Amino acid sequence: MQIRNAQEADIPVIAQLWHLGWHSAHASIVDVDLVRLRAPAEFMTRTAAHLEQTYVAVLGGEIAGFFMIEGNEVYQFYVDPAQHGSGFARRMMKEAEARVPASLAWLACSVGNDRAAAFYAKNGWRNVGEEELQVETSEGPRPVRIWRFEKTL
């Protein structure tokens, strides 16, 4: 696995991974209005807006995952489903953690996203509670209930 800064040419692949991963993990646990807004075009726009904070994980010459670091937050973290169960996500998380510029990192996990919550806990992240987070959309911020996970690095 190689980690590199995302480039403009990567936007379509990142946006597709993000769109598919987001819908797989969130469509059944968040408000239907948010699901409606999470169309492919929105992921293209969001990926472009966050490109400078985005890293891609390349495996066999192909992008197999990505993460975004914003301040001390692992803002987004998605892995190609073909890599699930392979240990790839664990290695990618170590790379993401190494790029957080603070000793205390955090990430948001939508309440009900049990698979992701279990992954974070298995990798040393601690669920410190539930809160409401305003997420960005093309129609302005929307509230989502999240579990806040933290980890001392």
Side-chain angles (χ1 to χ4, degrees), residues 57-100:
V58 179
L59 190 63
E62 301 292 325
I63 295 173
F66 75 93
F67 57 87
M68 297 177 182
I69 304 295
E70 296 206 351
N72 66 332
E73 178 186 9
V74 178
Y75 174 61
Q76 300 295 331
F77 186 90
Y78 284 89
V79 173
D80 186 321
Q83 298 304 321
H84 289 181
S86 70
F88 179 84
R90 182 178 24 84
R91 294 190 315 272
M92 196 173 95
M93 180 56 81
K94 294 272 186 228
E95 294 288 344
E97 292 168 2
R99 285 162 175 79
V100 174

Side-chain angles (χ1 to χ4, degrees), residues 3-6 14 51-57 65-69 92 99:
I3 302 293
R4 65 169 172 76
N5 293 335
I14 296 167
L51 194 62
E52 288 185 25
Q53 298 86 21
T54 304
Y55 299 85
V56 293
F66 75 93
F67 57 87
M68 297 177 182
I69 304 295
M92 196 173 95
R99 285 162 175 79

Side-chain angles (χ1 to χ4, degrees), residues 12-136:
V13 175
I14 296 167
Q16 181 180 22
L17 272 174
W18 196 358
H19 176 258
L20 294 173
W22 188 92
H23 278 272
S24 173
H26 298 92
S28 65
I29 60 173
V30 300
D31 182 86
V32 294
D33 192 45
L34 181 57
V35 175
R36 174 186 61 80
L37 292 170
R38 294 297 195 226
E42 183 175 80
F43 287 96
M44 290 286 287
T45 300
R46 292 177 69 204
T47 300
H50 295 278
L51 194 62
E52 288 185 25
Q53 298 86 21
T54 304
Y55 299 85
V56 293
V58 179
L59 190 63
E62 301 292 325
I63 295 173
F66 75 93
F67 57 87
M68 297 177 182
I69 304 295
E70 296 206 351
N72 66 332
E73 178 186 9
V74 178
Y75 174 61
Q76 300 295 331
F77 186 90
Y78 284 89
V79 173
D80 186 321
Q83 298 304 321
H84 289 181
S86 70
F88 179 84
R90 182 178 24 84
R91 294 190 315 272
M92 196 173 95
M93 180 56 81
K94 294 272 186 228
E95 294 288 344
E97 292 168 2
R99 285 162 175 79
V100 174
S103 60
L104 180 65
W106 77 280
L107 57 82
C109 178
S110 294
V111 170
N113 189 351
D114 297 328
R115 179 186 173 108
F119 170 77
Y120 300 138
K122 184 177 178 180
N123 284 276
W125 291 80
R126 187 171 56 94
N127 184 339
V128 297
E130 189 175 314
E131 61 187 68
E132 185 174 281
L133 182 71
Q134 296 292 318
V135 298
E136 64 186 351

